[in-house]
Amino acid sequence: MDGFERRTSIKKEKILNISAALFQKEGIKKVSISRIAKEANVSQVTIYNYFESKEKLLYEALIYFVNQTWEEYLEIAQRSIPFEEKMKLFIFDKGQVASHLHEEFYNYMMDLYKTEGNYIEQLYQEKALPAMMQLFNQGREEGFIDSNISDTALFVFLQMFSDYVQKDEMGDQILPLTEELMKLFFYGIAGKGESKKPD
């Protein structure tokens, strides 16, 4: 990559970073290209040269957000800490982030997730699911997950959850319940996990 390509790449990432942050916080309709250009300290022409339209920028910003979120989850999953500590981080930190997504951005993401062969589903199947199964193996080894629960049962449970959230009418119901659903997912209805926030 030469100097021009590197500068272009850095500029595009800055635009995506700012766009994703604005869309998450303020929604889609309220955020204009001119606002993004001002925040990113670039011209509107530059944004259109890179992304052609607001719709394409929105899509790329969503992919950027999904990739960043995945990297953050993976970093936690790979830490040398007990399984239960990882679960607390997922629930209290990442769960709160998800629950504060603007409804427009969340619905856009869920609409994409419902399309066949979409990027989010590919990421889930190819990277997230194998990483989660490794994490569950750690939970078994530490006695947090019942060793009698097979990988097949866990996979079916995860797939049921994935299929459910893709239903048309589920988006509005799930978003405000994100933290509760994560607790239910990891601790079950018995609620054996500690509920206090980690230090």
Side-chain angles (χ1 to χ4, degrees), residues 33-94:
I33 292 293
S34 60
R35 168 83 180 283
I36 294 169
K38 183 178 180 180
E39 296 279 343
N41 196 29
V42 299
S43 70
Q44 294 183 55
V45 173
T46 296
I47 293 178
Y48 283 115
N49 283 340
Y50 290 161
F51 302 101
E52 298 183 17
S53 65
K54 181 180 178 180
E55 182 64 27
K56 289 187 178 180
L57 173 59
L58 172 60
Y59 175 79
E60 292 296 331
L62 174 61
I63 298 303
Y64 180 85
F65 166 77
V66 168
N67 286 333
Q68 291 295 107
T69 302
W70 161 242
E71 291 297 328
E72 291 168 4
Y73 272 96
L74 186 61
E75 188 276 327
I76 292 174
Q78 293 178 339
R79 288 185 193 178
S80 298
I81 58 176
F83 176 84
E84 189 168 6
E85 291 302 311
K86 294 178 182 180
M87 296 306 99
K88 290 176 184 177
L89 290 171
F90 286 138
I91 292 167
F92 289 110
D93 292 349
K94 302 309 172 190

Side-chain angles (χ1 to χ4, degrees), residues 96-121:
Q96 287 183 11
V97 169
S99 65
H100 285 88
L101 288 178
H102 193 282
E103 186 176 348
E104 285 180 355
F105 188 74
Y106 176 81
N107 287 337
Y108 178 83
M109 180 168 61
M110 295 310 298
D111 286 343
L112 174 65
Y113 188 39
K114 294 167 191 172
T115 61
E116 186 175 353
N118 69 83
Y119 181 81
I120 300 173
E121 180 66 20

